[in-house]
Structure formats: structure tokens, C-alpha cells
Amino acid sequence: MEVPSSIGGVRATLAPERAAEFDAVVARTPAKHLVYVILDWALPPGAAESDTATVRRLRSGDFSGVRDGDGTPVAPTHPPLNEAAGEIAPTVWSTGYPVGSKTFPATIDGIREALDEGRRAEFEAEIVLTPGHELTYAVLRWGYPPEDLAEEDALVAELRATQQSRGEGR
């Protein structure tokens, strides 16, 4: 079975009213869960009934045998949510190392709100073509403010230089 793997690919297969609904769902879905939302929308009608075992396997996070258009094996970055246990994917990411607590968006809508207009257009162009199994990292990269990343990179470089000058970290 061949199905589209990107937001743009799935959107292209949908009727306009369904495409709008799809866009709304994708925009508010936490990045860690996007591959599963895209999978559900990409599957043709009746797939769950006609190939129950395969669909169940994919929805459980087992993408063995799945390949991209170039034949490269595909794997999701995270397992599916255990909704029965009340697990939810975060709509923001937080980090505390090395420069203190930072919180940044983990949804497409959150990133849209945080980006200036120039970067937003670049984000939209990239995110619509990114394969579902790579969206977690793409959203993470876009959601993390570049000035914070530069600040953290500078601090890490300073810490490494200090360790090396003391003869540590070898």
C-alpha cells in the first residue's frame, strides 16, 4: 500500500472541507504525535477494516517494512501515546540545561504564533513537505528560539574551554 507521508501530500488527497479539518487537527497536534495523526489521515477509507493487522501494527508504532519514496526504512521518533493510561503529548517543550529553564512550542500553531512573518513563511514551506516520521525533529528545531540556541551553544563552548584549561573532560 502506498500512502502520502507529508502534510502537503495528505492534504492533496482530501476534499477541500476535509483538508481544512485536517489542517486544523495537524496544527494543534503535539509534534511527538504528528506521525500517527498523519498516518490516520493518509490511510485510504476502509484500510483499517481490510488490513486490520497492518493498521494495528502501524498505529502501535511498529513501522517495520515501511519505506519512504527512496526505499529508506521509516521509523517514528516516538511511540504512540498510551491514551488508555491518560498519557498526553506536551504542547510545549521545556529544557533546563545549561542556561536555565526554557519553554518553547511543540505544535505547529504554537510555532506560527512565535515566529515573525518572514520566518513563518519559511517554516510553512518546509513543514508541509516534511515526512511525518521526521516532523518531531523539524517542529523541535523550528520551535526552539534561535537566540536561545546561540546563547546555549556559547555557554557550552565556554564550559568546554574552562574544562580543557583545567585539564578536565579528557
Side-chain angles (χ1 to χ4, degrees):
M1 176 184 323
E2 213 172 280
V3 297
S5 67
S6 69
I7 294 168
V10 172
R11 184 185 301 134
T13 68
L14 301 172
E17 62 278 357
R18 295 274 296 153
E21 180 185 355
F22 169 72
D23 285 341
V25 169
V26 165
R28 68 177 180 263
T29 297
K32 289 172 59 172
H33 196 62
L34 277 169
V35 67
Y36 301 103
V37 169
I38 290 170
L39 171 68
D40 280 340
W41 282 82
L43 291 171
E49 293 78 24
S50 65
D51 196 350
T52 307
T54 299
V55 172
R56 185 179 313 123
R57 180 175 57 80
L58 293 170
R59 285 180 175 158
S60 76
D62 178 357
F63 279 49
S64 56
V66 176
R67 302 199 178 285
D68 68 13
D70 296 332
T72 305
V74 169
T77 57
H78 293 82
L81 298 174
N82 183 347
E83 293 174 7
E87 182 182 10
I88 57 169
T91 58
V92 296
W93 277 306
S94 297
T95 183
Y97 179 82
V99 294
S101 181
K102 304 281 185 186
T103 302
F104 48 98
T107 65
I108 291 171
D109 266 353
I111 293 169
R112 284 178 179 144
E113 290 176 22
L115 291 176
D116 62 46
E117 192 172 321
R119 292 199 66 223
R120 191 176 311 128
E122 185 182 348
F123 167 72
E124 297 289 351
E126 178 183 326
I127 215 73
V128 75
L129 299 175
T130 302
H133 65 283
E134 296 175 5
L135 277 169
T136 300
Y137 294 125
V139 171
L140 174 63
R141 184 173 44 79
W142 276 98
Y144 203 86
E147 59 278 3
D148 290 345
L149 182 58
E151 180 183 350
E152 289 186 21
D153 287 347
L155 179 59
V156 168
E158 183 181 321
L159 291 171
R160 284 186 181 147
T162 301
Q163 284 180 332
Q164 288 176 348
S165 69
R166 292 180 182 165
E168 302 170 5
R170 291 183 190 194

